[in-house]
Amino acid sequence: MSQDPWAALEARRQRRHWRAWPWGWAALLLSIGAWACTFMLMVLVMASFGMPGDGSHAMQATAPYLYATLALGGATLLGGLVASVLAIRLRRQAVGGGAALALMALLLAVLLVPALL
């Protein structure tokens, strides 16, 4: 390690290059992606209903897609939450981060409130 303070400052700046990323826009895109996954889950659930007397063939055919979409939706929701917190704390498009938090809160309210009633 060098004793030069300018070299140490440059090394520190290079280590933290992720702080300059546009976290607000990333959070907004991830929250919109979570809404898209929710819409796709709705389409897959509607497609899994078969004719009465058909058995569970339609549900078995769409089950892997349901699980994959559910996992992708959970990952985008978690990633959007992390990105929005980073956007607000690092002051990188904080408005986008706040809008993403609002969209994710609305999504959770739409999904959880009918289940609680």
Side-chain angles (χ1 to χ4, degrees):
M1 183 113 184
S2 172
Q3 296 292 335
D4 184 21
W6 293 106
L9 184 66
E10 180 64 23
R12 183 176 178 201
R13 187 190 65 77
Q14 285 179 353
R15 278 195 308 257
R16 298 192 178 163
H17 65 278
W18 55 269
R19 289 183 180 250
W21 290 354
W23 289 109
W25 296 121
L28 199 56
L29 285 176
L30 285 170
S31 66
I32 291 171
W35 274 95
C37 285
T38 303
F39 174 74
M40 195 63 199
L41 277 172
M42 183 185 68
V43 169
L44 285 171
V45 166
M46 295 297 177
S48 69
F49 287 111
M51 293 295 294
D54 253 357
S56 63
H57 299 295
M59 186 60 141
Q60 289 174 353
T62 59
Y65 302 111
L66 281 168
Y67 296 141
T69 308
L70 187 62
L72 182 64
T76 56
L77 197 64
L78 184 64
L81 182 65
V82 168
S84 62
V85 168
L86 281 173
I88 292 169
R89 288 190 54 122
L90 296 176
R91 295 182 183 94
R92 302 291 302 171
Q93 294 91 21
V95 175
L101 276 177
L103 279 173
M104 289 185 286
L106 182 65
L107 177 64
L108 289 176
V110 165
L111 293 178
L112 295 179
V113 168
L116 297 175
L117 294 178

